[in-house]
Amino acid sequence: MSLLLGCIADDSTGATDLANNLVRGGMRVVQTIGVPAAPLDEDVDAVVVALKSRTCAAKEAVAQSLAALAWLRNAGAKQVYFKYCSTFDSTPRGNIGPVTDALMGALGTDFTIACPAFPENKRLVFKGYLFVGDVLLSESGMRNHPITPMTDANLVRVLQAQTSRKVGLIDYTVVDAGPSAIARRIADLRADRVGIAIVDAISDGDLARLGPALRDMPLVTAGSGVAIALPANFGIEPTPRASHLPPASGGAAIVSGSCSTATRGQVSEFVRTGGAAFPLDPLALAERRDPVRVALDWARERLREGPVLIYTTAVPEAVSEVQSRLGVQEAGDIVERALARVARGLVEMGVRRMVVAGGETSGAALRELGIERLRIGPQIDPGVPWCSAFSPIAQGVLHLALKSGNFGAPDFFAKAFSLLRAEAGGAGSRHG
Ligand code: ADP
């Protein structure tokens, strides 16, 4: 069977978030790290190609996205989904508008939607305005984002600044009236030469009503929320089989380079409940005393007793102190390189179940472990599933949970390993 849905995501943890929603809808999904060099040899319903195209130059983002599109079409994708952040992260130069334009051009379509709504994560679109939690996008923390500050919550205006196509709106009254009303509105917008329509959605019910109206659209552009309603268009229903992974075994570990609030809480909770934890000091790393080796020796002694945690996670004051001594970029690079070595060392000593906390940290670990694609499994917490992957370092299968900074409940680490044990019917317990 050839591919049903081909997805292009503008960053890696966003790709996993989308894949997770498709799996919840019943699709079997693989996420690739970049555009694969060869055709896929696995029978799946959807592929999510994870790019790093959110904040690079628009021209580069377009080139990467068109390469992904070519690969997905070659794999037989019947519909294409361009996934961006639910806070619509972009600048007046792009990249959402230029990438959407290029994909529409390549697919020969004159109409698509744009909808970052994800009600489950409190991202709502109402009258074309994006709300984050209880406030407008422009009043949220996103207004101060270092690269993509979002100072206007009106998405029709934001997108119009990024594209020469006319941008319109399908508002909540239409969405509320259901799929036929949405289809009529789309016909009217097209007659009015609108190329891209922002869609209101303030509940999962809205997304469910939107789904059927997208059935014949060659291209859908959205956050991860809209994906919840798409598998049904292909006659696919939710099933636990979609998230089936090979059985897990081997040692268990957590590597954390995320300093986000949620991760800090998870590290504290792990330590509070008696977990074995080793803090890596970024300043010692800079002094070349090779604390990575010390950390790995420490872990080797403890692996048999349960998951071990190695972390650089720290409070903002400590991070600022390190950054002021080493420089912001340099500190990030040193820590990422060290944690990637930690991940590799752990796998070399038999770890096969690993949680990595932090988007950039995860990217560095995937590269170090030589991983090119992930099969998406069961959800641990919203936005974070277990995945399995072939790693040449493991010379076999690894189970990985890649957690972006602010995702997950305080007991995420313990929950992750107990879910994997439950899925495997006990096969993955301890040093199996
Ligand atoms: P998140 O998903 O929470 O943003 P990331 O891994 O994407 O996490 O980003 C965290 C960044 O902070 C990485 O570049 C990492 O190397 C860096 N970092 C982690 N710990 C420290 C620390 N103690 N001091 C300075 N920088 C750190």
Side-chain angles (χ1 to χ4, degrees):
M1 194 176 68
S2 72
L3 205 58
L4 300 177
L5 195 62
C7 310
I8 302 166
D10 69 357
D11 88 334
S12 163
T13 39
T16 310
D17 182 12
L18 169 63
N20 181 55
N21 278 348
L22 293 171
V23 169
R24 286 164 69 202
M27 283 184 158
R28 298 160 304 158
V29 185
V30 158
Q31 173 180 333
T32 67
I33 319 302
V35 182
L40 205 67
D41 52 5
E42 238 176 306
D43 190 19
V44 289
D45 304 307
V47 171
V48 182
V49 178
L51 302 177
K52 220 172 177 322
S53 58
R54 182 171 296 167
T55 54
C56 64
K59 211 171 146 192
E60 170 62 23
V62 164
Q64 284 186 31
S65 305
L66 289 177
L69 176 68
W71 188 90
L72 291 165
R73 289 177 96 182
N74 195 42
K78 299 196 183 349
Q79 186 171 43
V80 175
Y81 193 116
F82 168 39
K83 193 278 177 189
Y84 36 75
C85 189
S86 64
T87 42
F88 217 68
D89 301 17
S90 52
T91 71
R93 286 175 305 285
N95 292 336
I96 297 175
V99 170
T100 301
D101 281 341
L103 294 174
M104 289 176 79
L107 286 162
T109 182
D110 67 349
F111 187 84
T112 188
I113 62 145
C115 180
F118 193 7
E120 214 179 339
N121 272 352
K122 297 198 163 66
R123 310 295 201 249
L124 313 177
V125 184
F126 179 69
K127 290 264 172 200
Y129 286 80
L130 178 56
F131 287 81
V132 177
D134 297 323
V135 300
L136 284 167
L137 173 67
S138 48
E139 293 170 17
S140 75
M142 281 304 296
R143 73 185 186 281
N144 299 320
H145 191 282
I147 303 161
T148 53
M150 302 303 290
T151 54
D152 187 358
N154 184 311
L155 298 184
V156 175
R157 242 176 354 229
V158 170
L159 188 54
Q160 191 64 83
Q162 300 179 28
T163 174
S164 53
R165 292 175 205 265
K166 195 167 158 190
V167 180
L169 175 66
I170 302 176
D171 85 358
Y172 75 100
T173 55
V174 175
V175 176
D176 191 52
S180 345
I182 299 171
R184 277 197 303 278
R185 174 73 178 149
I186 289 175
D188 289 348
L189 288 169
R190 275 183 130 132
D192 202 18
R193 296 183 181 283
V194 167
I196 312 170
I198 302 292
V199 184
D200 278 359
I202 55 173
S203 66
D204 279 352
D206 286 339
L207 296 177
R209 283 182 282 278
L210 175 63
L214 306 178
R215 191 186 303 264
D216 299 319
M217 225 171 255
L219 174 71
V220 171
T221 89
S224 68
V226 169
I228 290 168
L230 288 194
N233 284 348
F234 298 95
I236 292 176
E237 291 178 350
T239 161
R241 281 197 305 280
S243 61
H244 182 76
L245 295 181
S249 63
I254 305 143
V255 177
S256 177
S258 159
C259 300
S260 300
T261 314
T263 307
R264 295 206 315 270
Q266 289 151 356
V267 168
S268 305
E269 178 67 10
F270 184 81
V271 172
R272 193 186 68 76
T273 52
F278 188 100
L280 258 187
D281 175 7
L283 293 174
L285 288 167
E287 287 161 16
R288 300 176 196 278
R289 272 192 269 136
D290 204 15
V292 168
R293 192 174 294 266
V294 179
L296 289 171
D297 288 342
W298 170 89
R300 193 174 286 109
E301 300 293 307
R302 285 164 185 81
L303 264 186
R304 291 197 153 264
E305 276 117 61
V308 295
L309 163 66
I310 298 178
Y311 66 100
T312 60
T313 304
V315 293
E317 303 75 55
V319 174
S320 302
E321 165 72 19
V322 170
Q323 289 174 335
S324 69
R325 295 231 215 143
L326 305 177
V328 175
Q329 189 65 42
E330 184 67 0
D333 289 351
I334 288 176
V335 172
E336 280 166 39
R337 274 201 306 273
L339 291 178
R341 276 181 60 215
V342 166
R344 183 190 179 116
L346 288 167
V347 169
E348 283 170 347
M349 69 176 74
V351 166
R352 293 291 179 273
R353 297 169 287 153
M354 186 151 67
V355 174
V356 186
E360 295 300 327
T361 310
S362 296
L366 288 174
R367 274 193 300 280
E368 186 74 24
L369 294 169
I371 289 170
E372 291 173 354
R373 65 183 202 231
L374 302 162
R375 178 72 190 251
I376 309 298
Q379 171 175 297
I380 305 162
D381 269 332
V384 202
W386 271 111
C387 307
S388 68
F390 173 81
S391 160
I393 306 299
Q395 295 180 341
V397 173
L398 280 182
H399 284 71
L400 290 167
L402 308 172
K403 192 194 81 72
S404 89
N406 270 322
F407 282 172
D411 63 346
F412 181 86
F413 299 151
K415 200 167 163 184
F417 292 110
S418 62
L419 174 73
L420 204 54
R421 272 196 292 277
E423 288 281 320
S429 63
R430 293 282 146 92
H431 35 94

